[in-house]
Amino acid sequence: MRKPLLAANWKMNGSLTENEKRLTLFKEKLSNLEHQDIVIFPPAIYIPQTANLLYNSDISWGFQNIFHESMGAYTGEHSPGMAKDYGVSYALVGHSERRLLFGETDHQILKKIAILLEFGMTPIVCIGETLSQYKNHETLDVLKRQLKAFLDPISCEQQDLVIAYEPVWAIGTGKAATESEVQVVHENIRLIVSEYDQWDADLIRIIYGGSVTAQNSNHFLAQPDIDGLLVGGASLKSDEFISICTQ
Ligand code: 13P
């Protein structure tokens, strides 16, 4: 059985005061939800605050981005070991904003996944097609390429790894993909994963992200191959994220 995963990606938003209100409420309302995993991704600078406020709750916290070396002269980066010091158990990898705005490559993404697994953390690997690729019916080709870049070289060996399907055209646009569209894509992702012997495609969690709201979340979660949601904008509204997690 795959346990649903509900993740809040705050991107570059928040402040000490706002976060405190939001996290205190999350801890009060979202603890003891044993049938699902909940993870909050604040900006890295707020990880210590998040760790403090969520300590002793069932909610996890993660890095939005992490570097693929364990230490050294890499100005401005954070290593997985540093993340572990603050109880981090998840990290996003290859979010389309990192691929498109910061030029992150499949090769760098692969290295990040590898070091996260080495440090016992769960990578949430983001994949997705752009609007023009979608319009040209290239979605599956693009996803296959992005998946192959890490499924080929990485051996899962019972490791936890989550795949997040986030069509770029649905991110922050208010135009979510339909649940039936996403279900078909997720089925195909699972099929691609099943072609790799060492991966157990039935166990891997495939979550959806892109304009998820409290109105559409339960439609997505009702689909057999949608194992959770990666929520951006709506996760900044406490009541909405709480409702997504509890409905
Ligand atoms: P929105 O929910 O704001 O569309 O963002 C999705 C996303 O990029 C989550 O990682």
Side-chain angles (χ1 to χ4, degrees):
M1 230 356 236
R2 299 184 295 265
K3 196 175 184 186
L5 171 67
L6 297 161
N9 178 8
W10 287 357
K11 307 192 180 184
M12 201 177 73
N13 293 292
S15 66
L16 279 176
T17 317
E18 271 176 40
N19 303 346
E20 182 167 353
K21 275 193 217 146
R22 221 180 273 140
L23 292 167
T24 307
L25 204 60
F26 287 175
K27 185 168 178 175
E28 187 190 321
K29 306 278 185 191
L30 299 178
S31 280
N32 310 316
L33 294 180
E34 56 202 47
H35 301 299
Q36 57 211 39
D37 289 331
I38 296 176
V39 196
I40 312 295
F41 291 95
I45 195 166
Y46 296 126
I47 284 283
Q49 181 196 25
T50 305
N52 258 334
L53 289 168
L54 294 182
Y55 183 69
N56 255 344
S57 78
D58 294 328
I59 308 172
S60 305
W61 50 95
F63 263 60
Q64 296 175 13
N65 176 42
I66 215 145
F67 197 58
H68 53 70
E69 296 288 346
S70 50
M71 66 173 67
Y74 303 104
T75 303
E77 295 293 336
H78 301 95
S79 74
M82 294 167 188
K84 278 213 114 170
D85 278 346
Y86 287 92
V88 165
S89 42
Y90 289 83
L92 298 178
V93 184
H95 191 282
S96 63
E97 285 150 17
R98 302 241 25 115
R99 292 180 193 253
L100 297 169
L101 303 174
F102 302 97
E104 204 161 283
T105 63
D106 278 340
H107 185 61
Q108 287 168 323
I109 290 164
L110 167 64
K111 284 164 86 172
K112 289 180 182 195
I113 298 170
I115 200 159
L116 283 164
L117 292 176
E118 192 185 313
F119 275 79
M121 282 184 261
T122 302
I124 301 186
V125 189
C126 305
I127 57 173
E129 79 286 4
T130 62
L131 181 60
S132 65
Q133 291 165 335
Y134 173 72
K135 284 186 174 161
N136 290 333
H137 307 286
E138 291 167 9
T139 301
L140 286 182
D141 290 338
V142 172
L143 298 183
K144 212 172 220 170
R145 203 164 58 233
Q146 291 173 334
L147 286 166
K148 206 172 146 49
F150 67 90
L151 289 175
D152 261 350
I154 299 243
S155 156
C156 90
E157 290 167 13
Q158 310 295 322
Q159 312 243 38
D160 197 18
L161 179 145
V162 176
I163 295 172
Y165 170 52
E166 295 206 304
V168 179
W169 50 270
I171 296 178
T173 58
K175 290 183 192 137
T178 65
E179 63 271 20
S180 45
E181 222 171 356
V182 178
Q183 166 59 25
V184 171
V185 172
H186 282 209
E187 253 177 67
N188 276 287
I189 293 174
R190 212 176 289 290
L191 201 64
I192 295 167
V193 175
S194 75
E195 288 164 11
Y196 291 81
D197 282 347
Q198 79 272 33
W199 292 91
D200 194 339
D202 284 335
L203 292 183
I204 203 159
R205 288 184 289 185
I206 307 173
I207 65 176
Y208 167 75
S211 296
V212 170
T213 62
Q215 278 72 48
N216 61 23
S217 57
N218 53 352
H219 300 296
F220 288 119
L221 292 171
Q223 301 297 315
D225 285 290
I226 304 181
D227 307 316
L229 299 166
L230 180 51
V231 189
S235 72
L236 295 165
K237 300 173 197 149
S238 306
D239 291 345
E240 183 155 12
F241 188 65
I242 289 166
S243 131
I244 290 171
C245 294
T246 51
Q247 61 190 344

